[in-house]
Amino acid sequence: MSKQDELIEMIQSLDILKSYQKFEHIINNDKELKRRFAEMKAIQKQLVNAKTIQKPKALNQFQTQYDEIRNSIENDPMIEMYLDLQQELNDLLIEIKEIIENEINSTLTKYQFESGK
Protein backbone atom coordinates (compact mmCIF):
# COMPACT_ATOMS: atom_id res chain seq x y z
CA MET A 1 0.00 0.00 0.00
CA SER A 2 1.39 3.41 -0.95
CA LYS A 3 1.89 6.25 1.54
CA GLN A 4 -0.90 8.12 -0.22
CA ASP A 5 -3.31 5.21 0.24
CA GLU A 6 -2.28 4.89 3.89
CA LEU A 7 -2.94 8.59 4.47
CA ILE A 8 -6.33 8.44 2.77
CA GLU A 9 -7.29 5.36 4.78
CA MET A 10 -6.14 7.04 8.00
CA ILE A 11 -8.18 10.18 7.28
CA GLN A 12 -11.26 8.15 6.34
CA SER A 13 -11.05 6.24 9.62
CA LEU A 14 -11.00 9.38 11.79
CA ASP A 15 -13.90 9.65 14.21
CA ILE A 16 -14.18 13.37 13.54
CA LEU A 17 -14.73 12.73 9.83
CA LYS A 18 -17.36 10.07 10.57
CA SER A 19 -19.17 12.46 12.93
CA TYR A 20 -18.99 15.25 10.38
CA GLN A 21 -20.44 13.02 7.67
CA LYS A 22 -23.22 11.90 10.02
CA PHE A 23 -24.21 15.50 10.79
CA GLU A 24 -23.93 16.41 7.11
CA HIS A 25 -26.34 13.60 6.21
CA ILE A 26 -28.81 14.62 8.94
CA ILE A 27 -28.69 18.28 7.92
CA ASN A 28 -29.07 17.51 4.21
CA ASN A 29 -32.20 15.49 4.98
CA ASP A 30 -33.79 17.91 7.45
CA LYS A 31 -36.87 19.37 5.77
CA GLU A 32 -37.18 22.29 8.21
CA LEU A 33 -33.57 23.35 7.64
CA LYS A 34 -34.04 23.06 3.88
CA ARG A 35 -37.12 25.26 4.15
CA ARG A 36 -35.24 27.89 6.18
CA PHE A 37 -32.29 27.83 3.75
CA ALA A 38 -34.67 28.28 0.80
CA GLU A 39 -36.45 31.12 2.61
CA MET A 40 -33.12 32.79 3.39
CA LYS A 41 -32.04 32.46 -0.24
CA ALA A 42 -35.31 34.01 -1.47
CA ILE A 43 -34.94 36.95 0.93
CA GLN A 44 -31.33 37.33 -0.17
CA LYS A 45 -32.52 37.77 -3.76
CA GLN A 46 -35.05 40.37 -2.62
CA LEU A 47 -32.26 42.14 -0.71
CA VAL A 48 -30.15 42.35 -3.85
CA ASN A 49 -33.11 43.64 -5.87
CA ALA A 50 -33.96 46.28 -3.24
CA LYS A 51 -30.33 47.38 -3.23
CA THR A 52 -30.23 47.54 -7.02
CA ILE A 53 -33.36 49.67 -7.34
CA GLN A 54 -32.35 51.73 -4.28
CA LYS A 55 -35.31 51.08 -2.01
CA PRO A 56 -33.90 51.74 1.49
CA LYS A 57 -37.10 50.93 3.40
CA ALA A 58 -37.49 47.57 1.64
CA LEU A 59 -33.76 46.97 2.02
CA ASN A 60 -33.99 47.41 5.81
CA GLN A 61 -37.03 45.15 6.01
CA PHE A 62 -35.41 42.37 3.97
CA GLN A 63 -32.12 42.73 5.89
CA THR A 64 -33.98 42.27 9.18
CA GLN A 65 -35.80 39.18 7.88
CA TYR A 66 -32.57 37.77 6.47
CA ASP A 67 -30.69 38.34 9.75
CA GLU A 68 -33.45 36.67 11.77
CA ILE A 69 -33.47 33.55 9.60
CA ARG A 70 -29.69 33.40 9.45
CA ASN A 71 -29.45 33.67 13.24
CA SER A 72 -32.05 30.95 13.71
CA ILE A 73 -30.04 28.67 11.41
CA GLU A 74 -26.67 29.51 12.97
CA ASN A 75 -28.03 29.01 16.50
CA ASP A 76 -29.51 25.62 15.71
CA PRO A 77 -27.56 23.17 17.94
CA MET A 78 -27.14 20.72 15.07
CA ILE A 79 -25.72 23.42 12.79
CA GLU A 80 -23.43 24.66 15.56
CA MET A 81 -22.04 21.15 16.08
CA TYR A 82 -21.69 20.65 12.32
CA LEU A 83 -19.78 23.94 11.91
CA ASP A 84 -17.55 23.13 14.89
CA LEU A 85 -16.73 19.73 13.41
CA GLN A 86 -16.12 21.34 10.04
CA GLN A 87 -13.65 23.78 11.58
CA GLU A 88 -11.85 21.01 13.48
CA LEU A 89 -11.65 18.91 10.34
CA ASN A 90 -10.35 21.85 8.29
CA ASP A 91 -7.71 22.57 10.94
CA LEU A 92 -6.64 18.93 10.91
CA LEU A 93 -6.39 18.86 7.12
CA ILE A 94 -4.33 22.06 7.14
CA GLU A 95 -2.02 20.49 9.70
CA ILE A 96 -1.65 17.34 7.57
CA LYS A 97 -0.92 19.49 4.52
CA GLU A 98 1.75 21.41 6.42
CA ILE A 99 3.38 18.17 7.63
CA ILE A 100 3.49 16.87 4.06
CA GLU A 101 4.91 20.15 2.76
CA ASN A 102 7.56 20.20 5.50
CA GLU A 103 8.58 16.61 4.73
CA ILE A 104 8.84 17.36 1.01
CA ASN A 105 10.84 20.54 1.64
CA SER A 106 13.10 18.73 4.08
CA THR A 107 13.73 15.94 1.59
CA LEU A 108 14.41 18.40 -1.22
CA THR A 109 16.79 20.42 0.96
CA LYS A 110 18.60 17.25 2.04
CA TYR A 111 18.85 16.11 -1.59
CA GLN A 112 20.17 19.49 -2.72
CA PHE A 113 22.73 19.51 0.11
CA GLU A 114 23.90 15.96 -0.62
CA SER A 115 24.14 16.51 -4.35
CA GLY A 116 25.97 19.80 -3.89
CA LYS A 117 23.42 21.80 -5.87
Side-chain angles (χ1 to χ4, degrees):
M1 181 182 290
S2 73
K3 293 282 186 189
Q4 178 183 349
D5 292 336
E6 287 178 28
L7 181 59
I8 290 169
E9 189 174 296
M10 182 201 71
I11 291 170
Q12 288 175 338
S13 69
L14 293 172
D15 288 338
I16 189 170
L17 180 61
K18 291 176 184 176
S19 295
Y20 175 79
Q21 289 171 332
K22 178 182 134 190
F23 275 96
E24 185 175 49
H25 178 75
I26 291 169
I27 288 168
N28 287 337
N29 292 305
D30 187 309
K31 292 180 196 252
E32 175 60 21
L33 277 174
K34 280 185 178 181
R35 184 194 64 73
R36 288 193 282 171
F37 279 122
E39 186 178 357
M40 190 171 79
K41 188 176 179 179
I43 291 173
Q44 193 174 34
K45 287 179 183 179
Q46 291 175 319
L47 248 171
V48 170
N49 288 339
K51 209 178 247 184
T52 302
I53 59 176
Q54 299 178 353
K55 297 279 187 173
K57 188 175 179 181
L59 183 65
N60 289 337
Q61 178 186 358
F62 292 133
Q63 186 66 54
T64 301
Q65 290 175 343
Y66 178 83
D67 290 342
E68 287 172 3
I69 294 169
R70 182 175 177 194
N71 287 334
S72 77
I73 291 170
E74 288 177 350
N75 293 321
D76 184 299
M78 195 173 352
I79 297 293
E80 285 180 344
M81 179 60 95
Y82 173 76
L83 293 174
D84 288 345
L85 285 168
Q86 186 178 56
Q87 184 62 51
E88 286 180 48
L89 196 54
N90 284 340
D91 291 345
L92 180 62
L93 292 174
I94 288 169
E95 189 176 330
I96 290 169
K97 176 186 148 280
E98 288 172 355
I99 290 169
I100 292 169
E101 285 175 350
N102 288 338
E103 280 297 314
I104 290 170
N105 288 335
S106 173
T107 302
L108 288 174
T109 302
K110 183 179 176 184
Y111 171 75
Q112 288 174 345
F113 180 74
E114 289 175 357
S115 67
K117 293 183 180 180

